[in-house]
Amino acid sequence: MLNSTGELEFSNEENPEIISQLASLALCGGKSSAGVPEKTGYPDSVYVMAANIFQGIRIEKSAQKVLIKYGNEPLRSLSKSEDQSFRRLSYELAFSALKYQDILETILIDSCIFPSTTIPDHLSSLIIVMLYDFQDRKFQTRVLSDNEESISEVQEVENLLNSFKIKLAAALARCRIKHDALSIYHILPETVRKQELRASALPLYAWINTCKISPEEVYNNLKRRGYHKVKSVLHIDDKVFAVDQHCYDVLIFPSHLKNDLINIDLFKDYKLIFQDKSRSLAVHSVKALLNVDDDILMVNTSSWYTVAHMSVLTNNTSKVFVCGAQSQAKDPDLKTLFTKMGCKNIEILRELFINIESKDHRLQKVKVILLLPRCSGLGVSNPVEFILNEHEDTEFLKDHSQGGISQEKLHSLAQQQYEQLTHAMKLTKAQAVVYCTCSVYPEENEAVVKKALEFQDLGNKVQPYRGTLLRQCLS
């Protein structure tokens, strides 16, 4: 049970109206809220899942700098975790709390919630994510639906935060004033703020699964739903779509249409698939290098949508080998997914890529290798969507919350990338390697390719590899 003291006396010393006005300059980026629906909070289950995600990715501090202790045990979660919209809300909330972890911890200390209450360590993550949402709602009461299933831990934390409402608002206002910031959004690193602005401006990309439907059928389906085909979706608020100029099977939608689109049958039936454009560019680059019946080896892709897109582009004629896949435990789910998407030519290899021999009998028809190495991923504008679609590790969010990575980690990633690229270049029958990262660092891109070309081992190769560098504009 959470216990709080001294709130009654404090409430007589502060003017709630003044505090409310100060707190209104919260994490909204200083933007006007005109026309934006008021936030009403999340279901209890979202808070619990967000707390468990945050617990796994929070920034750990040295013993001298620890303000709040966190437990190690996850909170009990309900059975909605497989629902995509539920997971998206949870990841977004956890990521927001992570970006503001230092500020939120300071507010909790300054408001005397810590250490003036007896709070079990395992609830600290829940308090952090619920505090982020509470201040984002301008400390307004959460609106609950009649059929909402309540969770006791969430109710306890909510009661605690409500009892410290005025102190929390005052602490938030003091934090903003201390940093001389229009809002504490402006306390974030500039790289993180730019990333958020870029993400809000970017359109949505979705590729057409031509194994199940033709582009013309998709266009007609969308038109029947009130969508109009245009040349560009930039600065258009209507229901419109455009065909991407680089990938003929990729459609572009304004970002504000996401909630409308995810509920239509085209997406539910895997006829249209949301995915970052960088992945579509990668598979189209491979497609351009293929001859009839050439096989493909995909390395280190954790995104089954990327594998499926590659399969679709080959019309199920070439064999698509996938190396670096995760546990076999998900094999039945993957087979079901590929079946639903109409993909019949995918074979998963369980060996580590660097352990595959250059003359492996299974790969004698492989002419193109698509290498998607583990990278910093800081070229991704919307990390939450990327994690959900690409099945990336949640650790991916930690670097994004800080706007960069350490030189040590960057060097380690670049070394792994170099080793994988040079191994790919040793495969005897392969004639081309498409190397694709989601990084903005030259150390993970041009530098890796240049080094691999300089030190390549020709072996039985008739001709050495040459490099062609393409960089997608992410801004």
Side-chain angles (χ1 to χ4, degrees), residues 151-262:
I151 298 176
S152 60
E153 292 91 343
V154 173
Q155 301 302 313
E156 288 186 71
V157 171
E158 186 165 43
N159 290 336
L160 171 74
L161 295 177
N162 276 319
S163 71
F164 275 80
K165 178 177 179 178
I166 298 174
K167 286 186 176 181
L168 289 168
L172 174 61
R174 285 192 292 271
C175 178
R176 179 187 62 79
I177 293 169
K178 175 182 176 181
H179 290 87
D180 193 23
L182 179 62
S183 75
I184 55 175
Y185 163 83
H186 292 92
I187 302 174
L188 289 176
E190 184 179 2
T191 52
V192 176
R193 284 187 277 124
K194 285 183 176 180
Q195 178 193 83
E196 289 191 356
L197 289 173
R198 189 168 61 221
S200 65
L202 283 179
L204 302 171
Y205 293 93
W207 55 271
I208 300 170
N209 183 355
T210 53
C211 282
K212 303 191 71 172
I213 194 170
S214 69
E216 290 72 21
E217 289 175 309
V218 172
Y219 305 157
N220 291 333
N221 188 305
L222 290 171
K223 289 175 182 177
R224 288 195 297 270
R225 296 176 182 276
Y227 286 80
H228 303 283
K229 187 178 179 183
V230 295
K231 290 185 178 180
S232 173
V233 300
L234 295 178
H235 312 300
I236 296 180
D237 294 329
D238 297 331
K239 295 177 69 172
V240 297
F241 68 94
V243 178
D244 184 73
Q245 62 177 326
H246 303 114
C247 306
Y248 61 83
D249 61 344
V250 173
L251 300 185
I252 313 172
F253 299 90
S255 58
H256 69 88
L257 297 174
K258 181 66 176 284
N259 290 335
D260 180 62
L261 289 167
I262 59 178

Side-chain angles (χ1 to χ4, degrees), residues 278-279 282 298-302 306 370-375 420 434-437:
S278 64
R279 293 311 192 218
M298 301 180 69
V299 181
N300 282 356
T301 176
S302 54
T306 305
L370 174 55
L371 177 56
L372 300 163
R374 181 170 172 264
C375 68
Q420 291 181 346
V434 175
Y435 174 83
C436 177
T437 76

